[in-house]
């Protein structure tokens, strides 16, 4: 554990100072693209208008023989493509891969001033973040960057879940964490073949009827991911960083995707990955709070101007704690409405 006094000092002479607080920029959808795909690259300026974050993916889903093309494609995009206000992130290859080192050397050297966040896959413990932290500091000093590149860990191994709190607070660079259900399932030896979402076999079933044991029994599917997402949300909020749901692989099931995103949103996640343009609208809808909820939250804030005490609103008790929940809802709505005329209108700001 580093001395708390030195936690906010640069790790390398000449590197920019770490940020005290993680900036809260809208990041409801992190849209993944393959930078080696020129057709996809040509569509980026148009997609940029529909997403909060564009992420150049170098890791899984990019075949080994396209790794270098993806890296160079991202350099070209970072240098040459105007993405407006949309943030540019990347997911580099994992720390045990033959590509990680050159991914980081090349990207920070060429487009370090454009990249806001670097996603690190398969993080298992704080030691992984410490390594990345020092390496990035070295490169930021070498290339005279003026702001630190933030780090986002993917929670996708059993050991990572065990160490989730220590990962979240391993460095002031930590911006957030995404939940990676596909690798996590493999790491845990779960008997599934999916990328996120539920599973019909994971359910509870009622007792048999004594008189009619053969009668159908009520059953309900349970959430495979609840425990780990809950741990991630607590670890992230405890460390002042942002939690995200990751991928939902069944592109043909928008309802399933929406349900998974909504469960994560209600638990505290601020966004999710989009693997296909059709998931952008789902994430926008889910991670922008419902206008009716925002209107109710505003009524609570207005009814309790000093945020203390107790009162009834529409038959529901409101007190200091519900006031704070309503503050969360309204401040999120305000942040999202800024620069978005449609949301400004929906929320009546
Ligand atoms: C994401 O990377 C996952 O493994 O789910
Ligand atoms: Mg993964």
């Amino acid at each position: 554990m580093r001395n708390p006094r030195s936690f906010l000092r640069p790790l390398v002479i000449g590197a920019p100072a770490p940020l005290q607080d993680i900036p809260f920029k809208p990041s409801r959808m992190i849209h993944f693209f393959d930078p080696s795909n020129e057709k996809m690259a040509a569509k980026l300026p148009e997609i940029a208008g529909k997403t909060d974050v564009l992420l150049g993916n170098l890791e899984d889903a990019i075949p080994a023989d396209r790794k270098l093309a993806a890296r160079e494609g991202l350099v070209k995009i970072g240098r040459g493509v105007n993405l407006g206000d949309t943030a540019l992130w990347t997911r580099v290859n994992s720390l045990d891969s033959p590509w990680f080192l050159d991914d980081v050397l090349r990207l920070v050297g060429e487009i370090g001033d454009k990249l806001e966040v670097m996603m690190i896959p398969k993080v298992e413990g704080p030691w992984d973040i410490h390594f990345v932290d020092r390496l990035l500091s070295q490169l930021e000093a070498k290339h005279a960057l003026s702001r630190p590149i933030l780090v986002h860990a993917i929670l996708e191994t059993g050991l990572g879940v065990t160490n989730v709190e220590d990962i979240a607070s391993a460095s002031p660079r930590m911006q957030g964490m995404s939940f990676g259900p596909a690798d996590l399932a493999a790491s845990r030896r779960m008997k599934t073949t999916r990328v996120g979402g539920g599973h019909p076999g994971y359910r509870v079933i009622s007792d048999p009827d004594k008189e009619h044991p053969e009668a159908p029994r009520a059953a309900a599917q349970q959430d495979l991911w609840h425990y780990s997402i809950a741990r991630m949300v607590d670890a992230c909020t405890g460390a002042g960083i942002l939690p995200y749901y990751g991928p939902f692989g069944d592109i043909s099931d928008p309802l399933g995707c929406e349900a998974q995103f909504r469960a994560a949103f209600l638990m505290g996640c601020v966004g999710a990955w989009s693997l296909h343009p059709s998931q952008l609208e789902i994430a926008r809808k889910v991670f922008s709070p419902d206008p009716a909820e925002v209107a109710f939250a505003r009524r609570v804030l207005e009814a309790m101007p000093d945020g203390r005490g107790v009162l009834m609103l529409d038959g529901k008790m409101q007190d200091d704690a519900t006031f704070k929940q309503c503050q969360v809802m309204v401040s999120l709505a305000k942040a999202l409405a800024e620069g978005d005329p449609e949301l400004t209108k929906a929320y009546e700001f």
Side-chain angles (χ1 to χ4, degrees):
M1 178 71 183
R2 281 172 75 197
N3 175 347
R5 281 196 194 87
S6 67
F7 196 67
L8 288 175
R9 294 202 187 117
L11 282 175
V12 171
I13 296 165
L19 303 181
Q20 180 159 349
D21 290 310
I22 292 308
F24 182 79
K25 285 176 68 175
S27 44
R28 294 162 292 180
M29 1 43 198
I30 304 169
H31 185 69
F32 275 51
F33 68 91
D34 170 358
S36 76
N37 181 332
E38 287 182 10
K39 260 205 210 145
M40 223 181 250
K43 290 193 191 136
L44 289 179
E46 185 202 326
I47 295 184
K50 300 181 185 152
T51 184
D52 294 333
V53 177
L54 273 170
L55 180 144
N57 180 29
L58 306 186
E59 200 224 11
D60 291 357
I62 307 296
D65 62 357
R66 305 287 306 157
K67 292 284 186 196
L68 301 193
R71 186 193 292 150
E72 292 313 311
L74 185 55
V75 167
K76 204 164 139 200
I77 290 160
R79 281 199 195 141
V81 181
N82 181 0
L83 302 176
D85 290 336
T86 302
L88 182 63
W89 295 16
T90 185
R91 176 171 79 167
V92 293
N93 286 288
S94 60
L95 293 162
D96 60 356
S97 77
W99 302 289
F100 168 81
L101 183 63
D102 288 330
D103 286 348
V104 178
L105 294 180
R106 183 94 179 121
L107 294 179
V108 179
E110 296 296 331
I111 55 167
D113 55 338
K114 299 278 173 23
L115 279 178
E116 290 190 18
V117 174
M118 184 174 283
M119 210 179 248
I120 309 291
K122 301 174 180 65
V123 172
E124 306 230 272
W127 53 87
D128 287 336
I129 301 298
H130 296 158
F131 170 69
V132 173
D133 197 5
R134 187 79 74 167
L135 178 62
L136 285 176
S137 300
Q138 282 284 343
L139 293 168
E140 286 164 354
K142 175 171 173 180
H143 299 290
L145 295 184
S146 57
R147 60 159 177 81
I149 294 170
L150 301 177
V151 166
H152 181 117
I154 312 181
L155 189 64
E156 53 183 351
T157 67
L159 187 55
V161 175
T162 305
N163 290 318
V164 65
E165 292 87 4
D166 292 340
I167 294 169
S169 56
S171 157
R173 265 185 213 282
M174 282 297 297
Q175 175 272 346
M177 224 180 266
S178 282
F179 185 66
D183 268 303
L184 184 58
S187 158
R188 281 182 176 155
R189 304 174 64 78
M190 287 167 65
K191 307 305 177 289
T192 53
T193 54
R194 303 170 168 220
V195 178
H199 194 290
Y202 192 75
R203 58 193 187 137
V204 288
I205 183 163
S206 63
D207 283 356
D209 186 313
K210 285 203 179 71
E211 311 284 307
H212 306 283
E214 70 293 342
R217 293 154 63 176
Q221 196 172 312
Q222 306 289 296
D223 184 357
L224 274 172
W225 310 115
H226 178 81
Y227 156 78
S228 314
I229 293 183
R231 281 202 62 189
M232 178 183 76
V233 170
D234 282 342
C236 288
T237 41
I241 68 173
L242 305 173
Y244 298 79
Y245 179 75
F248 186 88
D250 188 351
I251 309 297
S252 70
D253 182 14
L255 265 187
C257 178
E258 183 172 335
Q260 177 76 74
F261 284 6
R262 180 156 292 111
F265 172 67
L266 286 169
M267 283 189 70
C269 291
V270 300
W273 300 4
S274 145
L275 304 181
H276 185 271
S278 65
Q279 294 184 335
L280 286 171
E281 203 35 56
I282 302 174
R284 174 182 302 278
K285 177 171 152 200
V286 171
F287 290 98
S288 312
D290 178 16
E293 293 262 31
V294 175
F296 182 76
R298 287 174 78 182
R299 281 178 59 211
V300 173
L301 298 188
E302 277 153 26
M304 298 177 72
D306 68 352
R308 297 205 198 118
V310 64
L311 57 87
M312 300 297 284
L313 210 60
D314 301 348
K316 298 178 183 69
M317 188 204 76
Q318 307 300 328
D319 67 358
D320 311 44
T322 59
F323 180 89
K324 287 180 204 153
Q325 291 177 50
C326 293
Q327 276 183 317
V328 169
M329 186 82 76
V330 174
S331 63
L332 174 61
K334 277 195 178 138
L336 297 177
E338 235 171 77
D340 183 332
E342 225 173 273
L343 278 183
T344 307
K345 190 158 165 246
Y347 296 145
E348 297 177 17
F349 284 136

